[in-house]
Amino acid sequence: MWRNVGPRVAELSPLERVRLRRVAIRYAVHGWEVTPGACLARSRFVCGRAGCPTVGCHPALENWELAASADPIRVATWWRTRPHGVLLPTGRAFDVLEVPAHLGRHVLDAVRTHPAGTGVRGPVLVTPTGRWMFLVRPGDPLRPELEHCFHVVRHGPGSWIPAPPTRLPEGTVRWAVAPEQARWQLPDSYLVQNTLIEALRANGVTLALDLLPGHLPLPRRGM
């Protein structure tokens, strides 16, 4: 797979290599499917596939959607010899709501004191480029107010996110709220979306649609 790869893969210490593998396994043990990411080589990523034009962070496996696994043994083999990034497919164990940093901080402050308690609090990761990603229960689409809002991206089936401690050219992906802090629980998507809509309005963003209070999507019961 790695024959004739030109750029040199970033050198990591043995401890860093072990850490990537250990964290990937921990995600798998908790039921989060994992897939290996391309390896960082200077300022670009290389996956070893001949002719691959992608230089940004991307899956190392062409059939990553089928190959993604929550089997700790299988996951461990991927990180045995290479410092792969750790990628988590979305639309399976969780969906992700991605927002810019100024909104992310606002939403995180709001959910910490939200009256719904744990129903709206869950893992949150931050990329070194300033993107905040809120992990939520899967399956719920964006509310109509957010469908055409360029500030918000929903990652569902067919997408993935880089997970800590994946290294990007700008730095390392980190947890703002680690899964352990959230007890590996996921919040209701609509509760988080409601908080996000309030944050957007507080920041002066005009949303395309305002639903009548009686027509708001209701949070689903806890799973």
Side-chain angles (χ1 to χ4, degrees):
M1 175 180 174
W2 290 94
R3 189 174 302 168
N4 298 325
V5 173
R8 186 177 180 183
V9 171
E11 291 294 334
L12 297 179
S13 71
L15 286 178
E16 288 176 300
R17 292 173 184 268
V18 169
R19 183 186 178 209
L20 283 164
R21 184 173 70 241
R22 184 177 68 244
V23 174
I25 292 171
R26 186 169 78 242
Y27 294 146
V29 166
H30 283 87
W32 291 4
E33 293 187 5
V34 179
T35 193
C39 298
L40 183 62
R42 297 188 182 95
S43 61
R44 60 170 291 178
F45 289 86
V46 292
C47 63
R49 301 200 303 269
C52 179
T54 307
V55 298
C57 185
H58 64 285
L61 305 177
E62 188 171 9
N63 63 337
W64 66 270
E65 289 188 76
L66 294 176
S69 176
D71 179 358
I73 296 176
R74 185 176 187 185
V75 170
T77 63
W78 286 327
W79 276 267
R80 187 165 294 160
T81 59
R82 289 278 167 172
H84 292 291
V86 181
L87 307 185
L88 303 178
T90 55
R92 302 183 183 191
F94 52 80
D95 285 349
V96 167
L97 301 175
E98 177 184 344
V99 300
H102 69 282
L103 288 177
R105 295 189 188 95
H106 190 130
V107 173
L108 185 58
D109 289 342
V111 300
R112 281 173 173 159
T113 57
H114 198 285
T118 56
V120 75
R121 300 170 200 161
V124 183
L125 67 82
V126 181
T127 73
T129 57
R131 304 299 294 180
W132 286 55
M133 301 190 184
F134 292 78
L135 279 63
V136 298
R137 294 177 196 161
D140 291 325
L142 288 177
R143 279 184 42 166
E145 295 97 324
L146 301 176
E147 284 182 356
H148 304 292
C149 179
F150 68 89
H151 294 284
V152 182
V153 177
R154 172 181 171 257
H155 294 273
S159 187
W160 53 267
I161 59 169
T166 297
R167 184 189 295 183
L168 303 179
E170 301 83 2
T172 303
V173 182
R174 65 179 178 85
W175 289 110
V177 179
E180 293 83 359
Q181 292 176 279
R183 299 183 180 180
W184 295 89
Q185 299 298 308
L186 298 168
D188 184 275
S189 177
Y190 283 138
L191 284 176
V192 177
Q193 290 187 48
N194 291 347
T195 305
L196 180 54
I197 288 171
E198 293 172 3
L200 286 164
R201 288 175 175 152
N203 279 268
V205 177
T206 301
L207 301 175
L209 177 66
D210 285 322
L211 294 178
L212 296 174
H215 294 165
L216 290 175
L218 297 177
R220 296 178 300 161
R221 293 183 179 274
M223 298 175 64

